[in-house]
Amino acid sequence: MSRPRVRWSAVAVVAAGLTLSGCGGDHSGEAAATSSVPRASASGGGSSAPTPSGSGSAASGGRCRTADLGFAIVPTSRAKNPNLQYALTITLTNKGATSCVMTGYPGVDLVGPLTWSLARQTAVQPHRVTVRPGATTTFNIFYLPYVQGSGAEFKPTRIVVTPPGETHSHTLPWPVGSILLQDAATHPGTYVSPVGAK
Protein backbone atom coordinates (compact mmCIF):
# COMPACT_ATOMS: atom_id res chain seq x y z
CA MET A 1 0.00 0.00 0.00
CA SER A 2 1.18 3.55 -0.51
CA ARG A 3 2.54 5.42 2.48
CA PRO A 4 0.18 8.08 3.86
CA ARG A 5 1.05 11.74 3.62
CA VAL A 6 2.47 12.98 6.93
CA ARG A 7 0.94 15.87 8.79
CA TRP A 8 2.81 16.92 11.92
CA SER A 9 1.03 17.74 15.18
CA ALA A 10 2.04 20.61 17.47
CA VAL A 11 4.60 18.44 19.16
CA ALA A 12 8.12 17.82 18.02
CA VAL A 13 8.22 14.63 16.04
CA VAL A 14 10.93 12.39 14.96
CA ALA A 15 11.56 10.88 11.53
CA ALA A 16 11.25 7.12 11.64
CA GLY A 17 11.61 3.72 9.82
CA LEU A 18 10.17 -0.06 9.56
CA THR A 19 10.72 -3.55 11.16
CA LEU A 20 9.05 -5.33 14.11
CA SER A 21 9.28 -3.58 17.47
CA GLY A 22 11.87 -4.76 19.98
CA CYS A 23 15.33 -3.95 21.18
CA GLY A 24 17.79 -2.06 19.03
CA GLY A 25 21.11 -3.28 17.70
CA ASP A 26 24.51 -1.66 17.47
CA HIS A 27 24.94 1.34 15.19
CA SER A 28 27.60 3.98 14.81
CA GLY A 29 27.28 7.59 15.91
CA GLU A 30 26.44 9.00 19.30
CA ALA A 31 24.33 11.84 20.65
CA ALA A 32 23.92 13.15 24.19
CA ALA A 33 20.44 14.04 25.45
CA THR A 34 20.70 17.28 27.37
CA SER A 35 17.52 19.27 26.85
CA SER A 36 14.20 18.80 28.60
CA VAL A 37 10.97 18.12 26.69
CA PRO A 38 7.64 19.48 28.00
CA ARG A 39 5.77 16.94 30.08
CA ALA A 40 2.16 16.12 29.25
CA SER A 41 -0.50 17.63 31.44
CA ALA A 42 -3.25 15.55 33.03
CA SER A 43 -5.77 17.17 30.67
CA GLY A 44 -5.72 17.74 26.94
CA GLY A 45 -4.98 14.15 25.95
CA GLY A 46 -1.60 13.66 27.64
CA SER A 47 -0.40 12.13 30.88
CA SER A 48 2.00 13.24 33.55
CA ALA A 49 5.24 11.34 33.87
CA PRO A 50 4.82 8.28 36.12
CA THR A 51 7.60 7.39 38.50
CA PRO A 52 8.84 3.89 37.70
CA SER A 53 9.26 1.38 40.48
CA GLY A 54 12.60 -0.10 41.38
CA SER A 55 15.81 1.11 42.99
CA GLY A 56 19.37 1.76 42.00
CA SER A 57 20.84 3.75 39.13
CA ALA A 58 22.42 2.91 35.81
CA ALA A 59 26.17 2.59 35.81
CA SER A 60 27.92 5.42 34.01
CA GLY A 61 27.70 4.70 30.30
CA GLY A 62 25.71 1.52 30.95
CA ARG A 63 22.37 0.65 29.40
CA CYS A 64 19.40 2.72 30.54
CA ARG A 65 17.26 0.54 32.79
CA THR A 66 13.49 0.71 32.86
CA ALA A 67 13.54 1.26 36.64
CA ASP A 68 15.74 4.35 36.21
CA LEU A 69 13.61 6.01 33.53
CA GLY A 70 10.63 8.34 33.79
CA PHE A 71 8.05 7.96 31.03
CA ALA A 72 5.66 10.65 29.82
CA ILE A 73 3.53 11.59 26.80
CA VAL A 74 3.79 14.94 25.05
CA PRO A 75 0.24 16.15 24.29
CA THR A 76 -0.95 15.80 20.70
CA SER A 77 -4.15 16.54 18.83
CA ARG A 78 -6.36 13.86 17.36
CA ALA A 79 -6.33 13.53 13.59
CA LYS A 80 -9.72 13.64 11.85
CA ASN A 81 -8.70 12.53 8.36
CA PRO A 82 -7.84 8.84 7.74
CA ASN A 83 -5.37 9.85 5.03
CA LEU A 84 -3.28 11.95 7.45
CA GLN A 85 -0.67 10.54 9.80
CA TYR A 86 -0.06 11.97 13.25
CA ALA A 87 2.68 11.45 15.82
CA LEU A 88 2.61 10.81 19.54
CA THR A 89 5.89 11.68 21.28
CA ILE A 90 7.06 9.69 24.32
CA THR A 91 9.72 11.14 26.60
CA LEU A 92 12.26 9.04 28.49
CA THR A 93 13.96 10.86 31.38
CA ASN A 94 17.01 9.53 33.18
CA LYS A 95 16.14 9.53 36.88
CA GLY A 96 19.36 7.75 37.83
CA ALA A 97 22.47 9.33 39.35
CA THR A 98 24.74 8.67 36.37
CA SER A 99 24.55 8.81 32.57
CA CYS A 100 23.12 5.84 30.69
CA VAL A 101 22.93 4.75 27.06
CA MET A 102 20.18 3.65 24.67
CA THR A 103 20.58 2.44 21.09
CA GLY A 104 17.84 1.43 18.69
CA TYR A 105 14.10 0.98 18.98
CA PRO A 106 11.83 0.58 21.98
CA GLY A 107 9.39 -2.28 21.97
CA VAL A 108 5.88 -0.79 21.78
CA ASP A 109 2.63 -2.70 22.20
CA LEU A 110 -0.75 -1.02 21.84
CA VAL A 111 -3.18 -2.87 24.07
CA GLY A 112 -6.96 -2.85 23.68
CA PRO A 113 -9.33 -5.60 22.52
CA LEU A 114 -6.13 -7.16 21.15
CA THR A 115 -2.40 -6.46 21.48
CA TRP A 116 -0.70 -4.84 18.49
CA SER A 117 3.11 -4.98 18.55
CA LEU A 118 4.16 -2.03 16.43
CA ALA A 119 6.58 -2.25 13.54
CA ARG A 120 9.71 -0.10 13.28
CA GLN A 121 10.43 2.44 10.60
CA THR A 122 14.02 2.18 9.48
CA ALA A 123 14.42 5.10 7.06
CA VAL A 124 16.43 6.78 9.82
CA GLN A 125 19.40 4.82 11.17
CA PRO A 126 19.34 4.42 14.97
CA HIS A 127 22.28 5.88 16.85
CA ARG A 128 23.73 5.63 20.34
CA VAL A 129 22.08 8.11 22.70
CA THR A 130 23.70 9.05 26.00
CA VAL A 131 21.17 10.39 28.52
CA ARG A 132 22.68 12.38 31.38
CA PRO A 133 21.04 12.43 34.83
CA GLY A 134 17.85 14.49 34.65
CA ALA A 135 18.02 14.74 30.85
CA THR A 136 15.38 13.51 28.42
CA THR A 137 15.32 11.78 25.06
CA THR A 138 12.29 10.88 22.96
CA PHE A 139 10.80 8.52 20.42
CA ASN A 140 7.62 8.75 18.36
CA ILE A 141 4.62 6.58 17.66
CA PHE A 142 3.33 7.52 14.22
CA TYR A 143 -0.31 6.54 13.76
CA LEU A 144 -3.28 6.71 11.39
CA PRO A 145 -6.58 7.66 13.03
CA TYR A 146 -9.73 5.71 12.40
CA VAL A 147 -12.58 7.37 10.56
CA GLN A 148 -15.80 5.45 9.86
CA GLY A 149 -15.53 3.66 6.54
CA SER A 150 -11.72 3.82 6.42
CA GLY A 151 -11.19 0.20 7.50
CA ALA A 152 -11.05 -1.77 10.76
CA GLU A 153 -11.25 0.23 13.98
CA PHE A 154 -8.85 -0.38 16.88
CA LYS A 155 -9.40 1.25 20.29
CA PRO A 156 -6.19 0.98 22.30
CA THR A 157 -6.31 1.82 25.99
CA ARG A 158 -2.66 1.36 26.95
CA ILE A 159 0.85 1.75 25.53
CA VAL A 160 3.36 -0.80 26.83
CA VAL A 161 6.93 0.48 26.31
CA THR A 162 10.08 -1.62 26.67
CA PRO A 163 13.28 0.47 26.37
CA PRO A 164 16.00 -0.79 23.99
CA GLY A 165 17.90 -3.74 25.46
CA GLU A 166 15.46 -4.13 28.38
CA THR A 167 13.00 -6.89 29.28
CA HIS A 168 10.98 -4.85 31.81
CA SER A 169 8.29 -2.57 30.42
CA HIS A 170 6.33 0.48 31.52
CA THR A 171 2.66 1.18 30.77
CA LEU A 172 1.15 4.52 29.78
CA PRO A 173 -2.47 5.35 28.91
CA TRP A 174 -3.33 5.78 25.24
CA PRO A 175 -4.29 9.48 25.12
CA VAL A 176 -6.10 9.82 21.77
CA GLY A 177 -8.95 8.11 19.95
CA SER A 178 -9.35 5.05 17.78
CA ILE A 179 -6.78 4.24 15.11
CA LEU A 180 -6.88 2.30 11.87
CA LEU A 181 -6.03 -1.35 12.51
CA GLN A 182 -3.23 -2.48 10.19
CA ASP A 183 -1.56 -5.18 12.28
CA ALA A 184 -1.28 -7.50 9.27
CA ALA A 185 -0.18 -4.85 6.76
CA THR A 186 3.21 -5.05 5.05
CA HIS A 187 3.68 -1.27 5.31
CA PRO A 188 1.39 -0.09 8.13
CA GLY A 189 0.82 3.59 8.74
CA THR A 190 1.30 3.07 12.49
CA TYR A 191 4.86 2.36 13.66
CA VAL A 192 7.60 3.42 16.06
CA SER A 193 10.75 5.49 15.53
CA PRO A 194 14.17 4.83 17.06
CA VAL A 195 15.09 6.48 20.33
CA GLY A 196 16.72 9.87 19.81
CA ALA A 197 16.07 10.09 16.06
CA LYS A 198 16.20 13.65 14.66
Side-chain angles (χ1 to χ4, degrees), residues 96-167:
T98 56
S99 296
C100 64
V101 171
M102 282 182 274
T103 305
Y105 298 83
V108 175
D109 292 336
L110 299 184
V111 181
L114 54 84
T115 297
W116 182 2
S117 296
L118 296 190
R120 305 169 178 175
Q121 183 165 357
T122 55
V124 175
Q125 184 179 23
H127 58 274
R128 180 183 173 98
V129 178
T130 298
V131 189
R132 297 176 183 138
T136 295
T137 189
T138 63
F139 70 90
N140 289 284
I141 299 171
F142 295 96
Y143 67 94
L144 285 176
Y146 170 79
V147 174
Q148 189 171 6
S150 64
E153 180 181 12
F154 179 52
K155 296 180 178 180
T157 58
R158 304 188 303 281
I159 310 168
V160 180
V161 179
T162 307
E166 283 290 281
T167 57

Side-chain angles (χ1 to χ4, degrees), residues 6-158:
V6 176
R7 170 181 173 185
W8 306 115
S9 63
V11 300
V13 298
V14 178
L18 182 64
T19 56
L20 289 179
S21 62
C23 304
D26 293 332
H27 295 275
S28 60
E30 178 170 357
T34 56
S35 62
S36 296
V37 177
R39 299 289 179 84
S41 62
S43 60
S47 70
S48 59
T51 301
S53 59
S55 60
S57 62
S60 181
R63 186 180 69 235
C64 294
R65 303 189 327 182
T66 304
D68 292 315
L69 294 172
F71 297 75
I73 301 171
V74 176
T76 186
S77 60
R78 179 181 175 183
K80 306 284 187 189
N81 188 325
N83 296 316
L84 299 181
Q85 186 185 54
Y86 273 53
L88 189 69
T89 300
I90 310 296
T91 64
L92 305 172
T93 301
N94 182 5
K95 293 182 174 295
T98 56
S99 296
C100 64
V101 171
M102 282 182 274
T103 305
Y105 298 83
V108 175
D109 292 336
L110 299 184
V111 181
L114 54 84
T115 297
W116 182 2
S117 296
L118 296 190
R120 305 169 178 175
Q121 183 165 357
T122 55
V124 175
Q125 184 179 23
H127 58 274
R128 180 183 173 98
V129 178
T130 298
V131 189
R132 297 176 183 138
T136 295
T137 189
T138 63
F139 70 90
N140 289 284
I141 299 171
F142 295 96
Y143 67 94
L144 285 176
Y146 170 79
V147 174
Q148 189 171 6
S150 64
E153 180 181 12
F154 179 52
K155 296 180 178 180
T157 58
R158 304 188 303 281

